[in-house]
Amino acid sequence: MLELLYKMQPLDFVYLLVGIILVIFSIQSFVDKDHNHRIGTGLFWLLYGISFIFGSYMSKEINGWLVIAMAAIVLFKQLGKGNYFESAIDFKKMEALRIGNVIFIPALLVGIITFIIGFFTKLGALVGLAIASIIALCVALYITKAKVGQSFHEGRRLLDAIGWTAILSQLLAALGYLFNLAGVGKLISSMVASIVPVDNVFLIVVAYCIGMAFFTMIMGNAFAAFAMITSAIGVPMLVAGHGANPAVIGPIAMLAGYCGTLMTPMAANFNIVPVALLEMKDTYGVIKAQIPVAIVMLTLNILLMYYFL
């Protein structure tokens, strides 16, 4: 066991931590007597946690069956909400007045610490995000004087509110990988090559960024579009064709994809779930508010990528 831990990479510990938290959420659901679907909900998060903890050590077939089992739980509507030991509304109002804007410090720390670790160390942004989240949680507990156990109840409450869409990004990323294996990327590459002159760098950049945004809108997630569009346009036309630095164009392409995320209901965990949480009357209110910003950002990404080439 110790030898296995010694061989693990920093990111493996992040997956392990996420898996343990999900298992804790599942146990809380199982023992929640006020939960109408406690067995299904607990089993859903348990299977998800197992995939994080043991996914790298299990066969693809077993991981596939885990996904099918999770899909079956959703299909039969066995996900629900339970009791999260929330504080009374009057207490929340009093705490909001007492703490004030100081409550935003933990959220700011997440971004700042993640940037510092990702930029100045070799750990990477994801590991930095995990470390930043732990530090921010400690600061939040100090500010609010809450107990550690309550953070798990609140975490489960938010995860249950999001529901199955919490795993959408991983599913769509896998879908993009499958599309790429099926040859969709090559088909897109040939279509773009027949329309865009291979010696016109600017038009290739436009096709790359707009393609990322468009396929993100269709598939609901930039991770799903990235594998396909980068293999179709980014690598063959910009990296191989014009010597572009993949470390530069890759992040910009992802950001262009996120512009598409802002404009599609397929990105349910970003654009539909907030509508439910905020009890908005307009189902597409979030998307409508984001479209102008997304178009401006997409234009800037095109210009930025072209500038760095």
Side-chain angles (χ1 to χ4, degrees):
M1 183 65 179
L2 293 176
E3 183 180 355
L4 180 61
L5 291 175
Y6 180 77
K7 293 181 180 180
M8 290 174 62
Q9 299 297 316
L11 191 57
D12 294 329
F13 286 101
V14 176
Y15 293 145
L16 177 61
L17 177 61
V18 173
I20 292 173
I21 293 174
L22 288 169
V23 170
I24 293 174
F25 288 165
S26 72
I27 295 173
Q28 288 179 321
S29 296
F30 282 131
V31 299
D32 186 354
K33 297 180 179 180
D34 297 325
H35 203 310
N36 293 329
H37 300 289
R38 60 192 182 98
I39 301 300
T41 304
L43 186 59
F44 185 89
W45 299 124
L46 177 61
L47 293 175
Y48 197 30
I50 290 174
S51 70
F52 270 95
I53 299 173
F54 302 108
S56 300
Y57 310 101
M58 297 187 300
S59 66
K60 296 178 181 178
E61 290 76 13
I62 295 178
N63 279 303
W65 280 112
L66 289 180
V67 174
I68 293 174
M70 293 170 69
I73 293 172
V74 176
L75 178 64
F76 290 102
K77 299 180 179 180
Q78 294 303 304
L79 282 180
K81 300 178 181 179
N83 178 28
Y84 308 104
F85 301 96
E86 293 184 77
S87 302
I89 188 65
D90 292 337
F91 177 79
K92 290 182 179 179
K93 290 180 179 179
M94 291 174 57
E95 286 295 282
L97 292 174
R98 180 182 69 86
I99 298 172
N101 292 332
V102 176
I103 196 63
F104 293 107
I105 291 178
L108 292 173
L109 285 177
V110 172
I112 294 171
I113 296 174
T114 300
F115 173 79
I116 293 173
I117 295 177
F119 191 81
F120 293 103
T121 73
K122 296 181 180 180
L123 293 174
L126 287 177
V127 177
L129 177 60
I131 296 173
S133 299
I134 294 173
I135 295 174
L137 173 60
C138 294
V139 173
L141 292 174
Y142 175 78
I143 292 173
T144 61
K145 309 302 180 182
K147 297 180 180 179
V148 177
Q150 188 60 35
S151 64
F152 287 101
H153 290 300
E154 291 297 323
R156 182 170 70 98
R157 179 180 66 82
L158 291 174
L159 202 58
D160 283 350
I162 296 172
W164 67 268
T165 55
I167 70 171
L168 197 59
S169 57
Q170 289 93 328
L171 293 179
L172 291 173
L175 181 62
Y177 178 72
L178 292 176
F179 275 17
N180 188 42
L181 290 179
V184 177
K186 293 181 180 179
L187 178 62
I188 296 173
S189 179
S190 62
M191 291 175 59
V192 173
S194 64
I195 299 173
V196 178
V198 293
D199 58 341
N200 193 318
V201 178
F202 180 74
L203 290 181
I204 296 175
V205 169
V206 171
Y208 187 20
C209 291
I210 292 181
M212 276 295 303
F214 179 72
F215 274 88
T216 297
M217 292 176 68
I218 294 176
M219 306 179 76
N221 191 281
F223 291 99
F226 185 77
M228 187 167 54
I229 302 302
T230 299
S231 64
I233 303 175
V235 173
M237 295 186 175
L238 289 178
V239 177
H242 294 280
N245 185 350
V248 173
I249 67 171
I252 298 176
M254 281 295 293
L255 189 55
Y258 293 149
C259 295
T261 301
L262 296 176
M263 299 186 286
T264 176
M266 289 296 292
N269 49 336
F270 293 104
N271 300 330
I272 303 301
V273 170
V275 172
L277 293 177
L278 298 175
E279 298 181 353
M280 297 174 59
K281 295 181 179 180
D282 188 351
T283 305
Y284 304 106
V286 172
I287 296 175
K288 292 176 181 177
Q290 293 174 164
I291 287 178
V293 178
I295 293 174
V296 172
M297 287 181 60
L298 181 58
T299 303
L300 292 176
N301 283 326
I302 292 172
L303 297 176
L304 190 64
M305 185 181 292
Y306 181 68
Y307 172 80
F308 280 110
L309 286 174

